Amino acid sequence: MKLKTLAAATLAVATVIGMSACGGSGSSSDDKTITFWHNASAGEGRQYWENLAKSFESANPGTKVEVQAIQNEDFAGKLQTAMQDPASGPDVFMSLGGAKTQEMIDAGQVMDLTDKISDTVKTDMKTTLSAATFDGKVYGVPVSVEPGGMWYSKDLFKKAGVSDVPATYEDLLVDAKKLKDSGTDAIALGAKDAWPAAHWYYWLVLRECSSEVYDKSVQNHDFSNECWVNAGKKLQELNDLKVFNDGFLTTTAQQGANSSAGLLANHKAAMELMGAWEPGVLKDLTPDQKPMADLGFFAFPEVAGGEGEPGALMGGVTYFCVNPKASQTSIDFVNYMGEKKNQEDYAKAFSTIPASEPARGVVTDESLKQVIEYLDKSPSMQLWMDTALGTNIGNALNAAVVNMLSGQGSPEDIVKAMEDAAQKG
């Protein structure tokens, strides 16, 4: 499996309005004190980062890690605002990935770690480091690899008489109708947050477009090939079946039992399209806050007649960057994240796949083991489409997909929204 990245020359710089001192850079006053931002705002994930900070402090007497947990949906906006002036931003922070990280690199807001990462990180994360590499330079330390796909309740599938996971998108439509007829919401969708709805379009484009067309389209912002409209038509076909949860346009993705993840966790919906962080999110939303016992996974199905690369995946790698004004302590901290034991603990806390290959033996969740099997067989993994396209086009794309699902747009309007955003730069 190879992770595809985009050339810096093709990526636009986003315009960010406003400026706020949302945290102090430790390097400005105390080289031993660092500020650290992440997006695990609840559960074992949040506790993991608190524990890691304390462990690092114990291993490095005199150091202090000031941890700030920020809700995922708020993270990008707060980070972009804080890093308008790196001196007022966090020392270590979760990356936004792809074009969004490239924009920060171009703005001088991220430290080049090429000669600063540890031998452990270089060796154990050799396949995932490509996600944090831009123009041959490394700008982050990975902690997890998160391809997307379909997460489902085995019990609800069995109840509806669905014995096998769908091999094609056309099979998925049939199965979704069976699930609906059995009395359950077939598909959980948190469209209020936009990106979960847009993920359906991303995957359909990946299946409809050839790999050559896909790569050139994303790099050159040329969406003229008919596969881009065809993907929207396929999604509209699913929407017309009315198999999403009631009120999906006002449903959030991950906040509470009534979110789309909560619907799956509590067996009120049969499946959800999401990244490999899903088991960890579900675990915090089940009635007993334990892993969902009947959770299964299958890759997004192939589309009959589609020209996409068979077995291709889409997803991301979570990694952490360092403020260019930060001290050596911040560099030591991100390298500490990459140590095998810390990666094993990360995988357990977040119920996900660690970036460190030697640490993957700790994964016991059967659904995640299935994801690893797909990863090992996959010829490539594209970055999430909105991440790859950058802030302006990505946001326009996500909004346009929601508009279509709400009856306020068409497949052609999705393409036009991206083209208009690309022209604005």
Side-chain angles (χ1 to χ4, degrees):
M1 187 276 293
K2 58 181 183 296
L3 184 71
K4 296 188 176 181
T5 54
L6 302 178
T10 68
L11 305 175
V13 178
T15 300
V16 182
I17 305 299
M19 177 175 172
S20 172
C22 295
S25 171
S27 60
S28 62
S29 59
D30 179 0
D31 287 349
K32 293 292 185 179
T33 299
I34 63 175
T35 53
F36 169 51
W37 284 16
H38 65 81
N39 72 336
S41 56
E44 292 183 41
R46 181 168 184 160
Q47 188 60 52
Y48 167 80
W49 287 122
E50 296 289 345
N51 293 345
L52 186 75
K54 292 177 182 177
S55 173
F56 179 77
E57 291 169 351
S58 297
N60 298 272
T63 60
K64 175 66 177 177
V65 181
E66 297 177 348
V67 183
Q68 185 168 349
I70 300 172
Q71 177 65 38
N72 181 64
E73 282 68 30
D74 299 330
F75 191 91
K78 289 189 175 183
L79 178 64
Q80 289 172 332
T81 300
M83 292 302 289
Q84 284 280 300
D85 177 8
S88 68
D91 292 297
V92 177
F93 51 90
M94 187 187 75
S95 74
L96 302 180
K100 296 178 181 180
T101 296
Q102 180 70 63
E103 291 161 4
M104 295 184 70
I105 293 169
D106 292 343
Q109 298 169 343
V110 186
M111 182 183 291
D112 177 1
L113 298 175
T114 308
D115 298 324
K116 300 177 177 65
I117 54 175
S118 67
D119 290 340
T120 297
V121 170
K122 290 177 183 177
T123 301
D124 294 357
M125 301 179 177
K126 56 183 179 295
T127 60
T128 50
L129 271 177
S130 61
T133 301
F134 298 79
D135 293 333
K137 297 180 179 179
V138 177
Y139 288 91
V141 171
V143 290
S144 63
V145 57
E146 296 160 342
M150 301 301 306
W151 304 86
Y152 73 101
S153 162
K154 295 178 181 178
D155 290 347
L156 290 180
F157 267 49
K158 183 178 180 180
K159 176 185 174 184
V162 180
S163 56
D164 296 314
V165 297
T168 67
Y169 186 69
E170 292 69 29
D171 292 339
L172 187 145
L173 298 181
V174 173
D175 290 344
K177 187 68 167 58
K178 285 183 181 179
L179 288 159
K180 178 184 177 182
D181 291 344
S182 74
T184 188
D185 289 331
I187 300 171
L189 181 60
K192 183 178 181 180
D193 292 325
W195 57 267
H199 273 213
W200 282 92
Y201 181 75
Y202 304 169
W203 277 99
L204 286 165
V205 170
L206 189 67
R207 296 294 184 244
E208 285 280 357
C209 299
S210 69
S211 58
E212 294 79 11
V213 167
Y214 186 92
D215 289 344
K216 289 180 181 178
S217 294
V218 174
Q219 291 175 17
N220 301 329
H221 299 166
D222 176 3
F223 313 108
S224 59
N225 191 285
E226 65 180 358
C227 62
W228 289 85
V229 171
N230 289 343
K233 291 179 178 178
K234 290 288 186 183
L235 179 54
Q236 187 63 69
E237 185 179 358
L238 177 66
N239 193 37
D240 288 343
L241 293 178
K242 301 188 183 304
V243 290
F244 296 128
N245 52 289
D246 290 339
F248 70 89
L249 291 169
T250 57
T251 299
T252 60
Q254 300 173 347
Q255 296 95 342
N258 292 322
S259 66
S260 57
L263 295 177
L264 178 58
N266 292 281
H267 292 85
K268 294 180 179 179
M271 57 181 153
E272 183 178 26
L273 176 61
M274 196 54 66
W277 56 80
E278 182 82 330
V281 173
L282 296 175
K283 179 176 64 176
D284 290 332
L285 297 174
T286 58
D288 57 4
Q289 292 193 316
K290 292 182 179 180
M292 185 174 160
D294 66 323
L295 182 64
F297 174 86
F298 59 93
F300 194 91
E302 306 293 332
V303 171
E307 299 181 358
E309 185 177 32
L313 297 177
M314 180 173 289
V317 173
T318 297
Y319 56 94
F320 283 81
C321 299
V322 177
N323 189 312
K325 294 185 177 295
S327 67
Q328 180 62 41
T329 304
S330 297
I331 298 169
D332 294 341
F333 185 57
V334 292
N335 280 324
Y336 190 69
M337 292 179 187
E339 294 297 320
K340 183 172 181 285
K341 181 183 183 305
N342 294 331
Q343 274 280 281
E344 290 173 340
D345 290 345
Y346 181 95
K348 293 175 184 177
F350 285 90
S351 298
T352 194
I353 303 169
S356 167
E357 292 185 30
R360 289 180 188 170
V362 78
V363 175
T364 58
D365 185 285
E366 290 302 319
S367 62
L368 285 175
K369 286 184 177 181
Q370 290 176 303
V371 178
I372 293 174
E373 289 180 12
Y374 281 109
L375 265 175
D376 290 341
K377 293 184 295 184
S378 177
S380 64
M381 187 172 86
Q382 293 281 3
L383 289 173
W384 301 120
M385 190 183 293
D386 60 342
T387 300
L389 289 171
T391 304
N392 291 346
I393 302 176
N395 288 346
L397 163 61
N398 293 350
V401 172
V402 174
N403 285 343
M404 187 191 77
L405 294 177
S406 67
Q408 304 300 312
S410 67
E412 290 81 5
D413 290 333
I414 296 174
V415 174
K416 187 177 187 302
M418 290 190 289
E419 291 173 339
D420 290 347
Q423 289 178 0
K424 292 177 182 177

